[in-house]
Amino acid sequence: MPMDVVIAEHAGACYGVERALKLAASTARETTGPVHTLGPLIHNPLVVDELTQAGVELAENLEDVASGALIVRTHGVVPQVIEDARGRGLNVVDATCPYVKKVHHAAARLIQEGYQLIVVGEAGHPEVEGILGHAGGEAWVVGEPSDLDQIEVAKRMGVVVQTTQTADRLAAIVAALSTRVQELKVVNTICEATSERQRAAAELAERAGCIIVIGGKNSGNTRRLAEICHARCSNTHHIEDANEIDASWFCNVELCGITAGASTPQSHIQRALDRIEELGA
């Protein structure tokens, strides 16, 4: 009996990623000098390699860029970085995801209103670092409810969220925080595209015998998709490249589900489908 292969209802590159890739492509076409991204444009090593082949180089810091165009990654940066880049005479192309910018504005507003700020997210993640920069550095990063034990909680607390976090994690942290403050203002800045992908992946994993999650191993939102799927289907595999797919995964499997992170282009999903067909699964 042939195996059915189903792609999750919501999977692959989101609006912010598609917008950034289009900006990078147009900048490479229209710029006569060098073009760099400040850090990986998105968390997908294959895409970063493809951009390099298209003439968009990767720079880890401003000191590596002497001239030309500088593309700000989808995750955003602290405000000072853009000011410094323009001060160096660089043509700054801001590919920050519009939904990430909403977090920046919410964080700044809560600080201005006098709240002590918590950012629910992954400490050290580029998006979180950018959020902290827009909060003037006056915020705590919390990834789990237990992290609150390390914080001197104020009477008035505000909360924003890294766009790729899960609703369950936010709810758990808010529940733990609500008993310790007099006033709590939560701005749920989880991107709807992230939520849609998580819900669709969970639904598919409930009924699949195998799940393939496509996207960068350095992509937080893709890793969370893999976690959600693995909790429901132990035969879950997180891959970056279609060549990683192994025929042994499909033994006695009637339905294989495919999902992909928000930083995974549709072409990478197609490669996975082609690989499965090639294996005769």
Side-chain angles (χ1 to χ4, degrees):
M1 181 177 177
M3 180 181 71
D4 290 331
V5 181
V6 175
I7 299 172
E9 182 181 3
H10 300 283
C14 62
Y15 165 75
V17 167
E18 290 181 343
R19 172 180 174 271
L21 292 173
K22 288 177 182 176
L23 279 172
S26 62
T27 302
R29 284 195 309 270
E30 298 164 10
T31 302
T32 53
V35 178
H36 291 85
T37 62
L38 186 58
L41 182 69
I42 60 176
H43 276 158
N44 188 315
L46 290 183
V47 171
V48 172
D49 288 344
E50 290 165 5
L51 286 170
T52 300
Q53 293 168 17
V56 180
E57 299 289 337
L58 172 64
E60 292 297 345
N61 53 62
L62 281 180
E63 287 67 34
D64 296 333
V65 185
S67 62
L70 181 72
I71 305 172
V72 175
R73 61 196 299 172
T74 54
H75 306 98
V77 293
V78 301
Q80 188 61 44
V81 169
I82 292 179
E83 293 175 18
D84 289 350
R86 287 178 174 149
R88 290 167 176 262
L90 300 175
N91 172 28
V92 177
V93 179
D94 191 355
T96 304
C97 173
Y99 295 101
V100 172
K101 289 202 170 200
K102 287 184 178 181
V103 194
H104 294 170
H105 297 321
R109 186 170 64 250
L110 287 169
I111 291 292
Q112 291 167 1
E113 292 173 356
Y115 291 92
Q116 172 65 48
L117 185 66
I118 282 177
V119 180
V120 175
E122 201 176 326
H125 189 283
E127 180 185 328
V128 172
E129 292 300 306
I131 296 167
L132 293 175
H134 283 80
E138 301 176 20
W140 297 91
V141 180
V142 174
E144 303 289 345
S146 59
D147 293 342
L148 294 170
D149 296 336
Q150 312 302 318
I151 296 174
E152 187 174 336
V153 177
K155 293 179 179 179
R156 302 176 73 236
M157 298 294 295
V159 176
V160 296
V161 198
Q162 182 182 355
T163 58
T164 56
Q165 287 294 309
T166 64
D168 287 347
R169 178 165 295 174
L170 171 62
I173 290 170
V174 169
L177 186 60
S178 62
T179 61
R180 300 173 57 179
V181 301
Q182 291 184 5
E183 183 183 348
L184 180 61
K185 186 170 183 178
V186 180
V187 184
N188 183 352
T189 48
I190 296 174
C191 174
E192 182 57 26
T194 296
S195 299
E196 287 176 345
R197 279 152 185 73
Q198 290 172 354
R199 287 193 296 267
E203 186 277 331
L204 185 55
E206 291 282 0
R207 55 193 180 91
C210 175
I211 290 284
I212 296 174
V213 183
I214 310 167
K217 300 287 176 64
N218 60 341
S219 164
N221 79 84
T222 308
R223 290 199 306 270
R224 276 182 277 280
L225 282 180
E227 291 167 4
I228 288 167
C229 291
H230 193 270
R232 294 160 176 81
C233 174
S234 59
N235 190 18
T236 291
H237 305 274
H238 179 179
I239 67 166
E240 288 186 348
D241 191 301
N243 290 328
E244 298 173 51
I245 298 174
D246 193 296
S248 65
W249 300 348
F250 310 125
C251 183
N252 298 321
V253 170
E254 295 181 4
L255 173 62
C256 173
I258 293 178
T259 186
S263 50
T264 304
Q266 292 299 317
S267 60
H268 292 197
I269 297 175
Q270 185 59 50
R271 288 180 202 169
L273 290 170
D274 293 343
R275 172 62 175 165
I276 292 170
E277 183 177 352
E278 177 186 309
L279 291 171

